[in-house]
Amino acid sequence: VGLSEPDCGSADGLTANVTPAGRGDAFVYLNGPVPFDSGSYVCVAQGGSNSTFQALVTMPKPVPRDQQGVVLGTWTEDGRERMAITAAMNANQFQFQVLFPGILSWLTRGVHLGTERNYYSVQVDDVFLADDRWQCKDPAACTDPARTILMKPEDVDELIKWQDRNNMQLELAFNAGGCKYPTEAGQPALCEALTKNWSAFSWVNHTYDHPNLDQVVEGEDPPLRESIAGQIQLNIEFAKTYSNPRHFSAKELVTGQHSGLKRVPLKEDKGLDDDNEFLIKTLDSQKISWISSDNSRDSEQHAIGEGTKTVPRYPMNIFYNVERMSEETDQYNWAYTSADDGGKGVCQPNCIPKLNLTDGFQTYIVPTEARTALQHVLANSPRPHYVHQPNLTGDRIIYPVLDAILSKYNLVFASNAELLHPNMSEFGEELQNQKQWGKLSGVRATVAAGKLTITGSVSANVPLTLPSTAQNTGSLKPYAGSLTGWCAPGELEKIQL
């Protein structure tokens, strides 16, 4: 390659930088800085004798760290352009997820089957209802005597401000029964604050009263509120009394605890072998298109009944029954530390050291949960995340996590690769496209004389990425410096490269 003898070592805590040449070509979707995960190993070299070598990504040498060198670059030899990468990376590391689209774009000259998007949407469950408070294992962690947790009107104001500040709407999964049949002292005031600002939010049907549908067996003619159909209908009717939400669709549904759906059992409980037949009948009669499932227990989209498909959601480790940083830390310790440290011990042999109640949330939980979410974001995974309404009150513990995710993303990615926030229906359609495409075999794409040709039996929409200069690209849209998306088979023959 013509580079100097490299200096090799750990890249923990180091940040690479995409050069102007890299940002002007394959890495046009990046701002420049690329932080490396812990556990990274690199060999950093200086420029050498090869006049054709072009540095695309540089970073400080492991020793001494005050000198910059190359970890990724290209050179020309015998009429071929080649790429050298001197960092060891795996598919789960942040730097690989960030750099891979550019490597693929360079390799294919921007023309390949496949599409790339960075998605991050968050749904907030149990809106209008109170949740039971976590009973702390360490009494010092829980200082509020109230048995339940419910948002307050001032939390609604803060949510609106956060959404406006970050240009991101959270989707509120609501249970209108909390407004019509209040059991908590603060519910009427909360209902007034949220419904008064109905148009500021996106909304998702979470059933009227949040019943568990795992074992529901309906009689001949159950009262409306006690039927599955009534739980769906009453919530829809409530939503229709308010106008112009950011998004609301009667075709979307989130059941309480994802109940009524088959799911893989966890260590501490049992899953369902199949979907509840009464739920299936109701989904068909109500013409529900999309129903959420828990990605940790049912990660692939599957059909339910005649016209409904699941949309798996990622659960965030911000627990449903906490509003304080100390409460979250106490429950985190219970879940992820050994029995010797006071935890339940199911994490062994991969337990973490016990976190300090004072700063464990900020120093460990926030960066850990932000990193996990960003792995999903950068894995081209069209699935929403979800939290619960207690996380928006008290210490409002979801915001530090969201802020950490957004700030790191915006630091690394350019404005042409904005973080996308699809609604539930859009996620469902993307998953459906991916699944239908994945069933095909024997499909081949070729490029000759500026024309794209796909052969084989193409009975599904085709995921396609093209240079921004391509013409007649139909439904493809600009993203990350390319034109990308899903093409109907009939659109392909019109494309000009």
Side-chain angles (χ1 to χ4, degrees):
V1 180
L3 297 177
S4 65
E5 187 74 19
D7 292 296
C8 301
S10 169
D12 291 6
L14 295 181
T15 296
N17 282 285
V18 180
T19 67
R23 292 199 303 274
D25 189 12
F27 300 102
V28 66
Y29 60 94
L30 296 179
N31 277 330
V34 182
F36 270 51
D37 275 345
S38 60
S40 300
Y41 190 85
V42 296
C43 289
V44 180
Q46 299 292 120
S49 60
N50 191 332
S51 62
T52 69
F53 189 86
Q54 179 72 66
L56 301 181
V57 180
T58 63
M59 70 184 307
K61 287 185 175 182
V63 180
R65 294 195 173 190
D66 59 342
Q67 296 182 16
Q68 290 281 325
V70 178
V71 291
L72 189 152
T74 59
W75 80 100
T76 303
E77 185 178 46
D78 298 330
R80 293 178 179 172
E81 187 178 343
R82 305 188 180 198
M83 178 176 283
I85 304 173
T86 63
M89 297 184 283
N90 68 60
N92 294 317
Q93 288 181 308
F94 181 77
Q95 64 268 24
F96 182 82
Q97 290 183 306
V98 168
L99 294 172
F100 176 74
I103 294 171
L104 179 61
S105 178
W106 171 85
L107 177 68
T108 64
R109 283 293 181 262
V111 182
H112 60 267
L113 295 175
T115 183
E116 181 86 11
R117 294 285 194 281
N118 294 334
Y119 310 100
Y120 189 59
S121 295
V122 177
Q123 296 178 345
V124 183
D125 287 7
D126 304 349
V127 172
F128 296 133
L129 292 181
D131 287 276
D132 290 335
R133 186 183 300 274
W134 165 249
Q135 300 300 301
C136 286
K137 305 303 177 182
D138 184 342
C142 292
T143 57
D144 195 319
R147 185 182 63 83
T148 59
I149 306 172
L150 181 68
M151 289 173 63
K152 300 175 177 59
E154 54 265 34
D155 299 318
V156 178
D157 295 335
E158 181 58 32
L159 175 56
I160 292 172
K161 292 176 184 176
W162 186 92
Q163 289 187 150
D164 291 343
R165 190 165 61 245
N166 292 281
N167 193 30
M168 175 180 173
Q169 275 69 53
L170 306 189
E171 290 192 292
L172 304 186
F174 70 101
N175 311 91
C179 292
K180 296 297 185 180
Y181 303 95
T183 59
E184 298 289 329
Q187 279 176 322
L190 174 63
C191 291
E192 180 182 1
L194 281 167
T195 54
K196 182 176 65 175
N197 292 286
W198 188 266
S199 63
F201 304 113
S202 295
W203 298 88
V204 182
N205 190 346
H206 194 30
T207 71
Y208 197 67
D209 292 312
H210 201 284
N212 187 305
L213 303 182
D214 283 352
Q215 305 298 330
V216 170
V217 178
E218 296 187 347
E220 288 294 321
D221 188 21
L224 185 62
R225 192 178 166 199
E226 296 177 14
S227 70
I228 299 175
Q231 285 291 315
I232 298 171
Q233 289 175 351
L234 290 171
N235 234 31
I236 292 173
E237 291 170 8
F238 178 88
K240 286 181 178 178
T241 62
Y242 304 98
S243 61
N244 301 321
R246 295 293 178 94
H247 174 76
F248 175 75
S249 172
K251 296 182 179 296
E252 302 170 354
L253 178 67
V254 180
T255 59
Q257 299 174 308
H258 304 107
S259 57
L261 302 177
K262 66 179 180 182
R263 56 188 184 270
V264 176
L266 300 178
K267 292 180 181 179
E268 301 160 357
D269 64 3
K270 60 182 181 179
L272 293 185
D273 294 331
D274 211 343
D275 306 311
N276 185 319
E277 62 175 304
F278 296 98
L279 175 61
I280 295 173
K281 292 177 182 177
T282 303
L283 296 176
D284 288 343
S285 65
Q286 295 277 322
K287 300 188 184 308
I288 301 296
S289 298
W290 312 106
I291 184 169
S292 71
S293 61
D294 188 334
N295 189 80
S296 65
R297 307 179 71 169
D298 184 15
S299 61
E300 297 301 320
Q301 186 180 75
H302 71 271
I304 301 176
E306 296 178 359
T308 309
K309 292 182 175 63
T310 60
V311 178
R313 303 191 300 171
Y314 288 113
M316 295 187 70
N317 262 347
I318 306 300
F319 300 110
Y320 81 95
N321 51 3
V322 298
E323 63 170 324
R324 304 290 179 192
M325 296 180 188
S326 58
E327 294 170 343
E328 166 74 10
T329 305
D330 184 79
Q331 189 167 176
Y332 211 91
N333 281 335
W334 173 245
Y336 298 113
T337 64
S338 66
D340 290 342
D341 276 338
K344 58 183 176 181
V346 297
C347 53
Q348 292 170 320
N350 299 311
C351 299
I352 65 170
K354 186 174 182 178
L355 302 178
N356 188 296
L357 292 180
T358 303
D359 63 2
F361 178 77
Q362 293 286 6
T363 60
Y364 185 88
I365 296 176
V366 169
T368 298
E369 296 311 314
R371 182 182 183 276
T372 298
L374 279 169
Q375 281 188 315
H376 301 155
V377 168
L378 301 182
N380 198 32
S381 181
R383 293 161 172 82
H385 290 69
Y386 71 99
V387 294
H388 295 79
Q389 65 84 21
N391 309 145
L392 295 176
T393 190
D395 291 342
R396 298 168 178 158
I397 60 176
I398 191 56
Y399 293 133
V401 180
L402 298 181
D403 290 341
I405 294 166
L406 297 181
S407 62
K408 188 169 184 178
Y409 186 89
N410 292 330
L411 171 71
V412 174
F413 286 88
S415 59
N416 65 10
E418 64 176 324
L419 194 55
L420 303 177
H421 313 299
N423 57 50
M424 191 168 168
S425 296
E426 291 167 336
F427 274 130
E429 290 166 0
E430 178 69 20
L431 283 167
Q432 181 175 271
N433 275 328
Q434 288 188 5
K435 188 162 189 176
Q436 290 173 342
W437 173 253
K439 292 178 180 179
L440 301 184
S441 61
V443 177
R444 181 178 176 85
T446 58
V447 175
K451 182 173 177 56
L452 174 70
T453 302
I454 295 186
T455 57
S457 178
V458 183
S459 56
N461 291 334
V462 177
L464 188 60
T465 297
L466 301 175
S468 59
T469 54
Q471 302 293 316
N472 302 326
T473 54
S475 55
L476 300 186
K477 291 183 169 50
Y479 191 77
S482 299
L483 292 169
T484 183
W486 294 87
C487 280
E491 293 181 315
L492 298 171
E493 58 186 28
K494 303 174 186 176
I495 292 173
Q496 295 178 345
L497 300 176

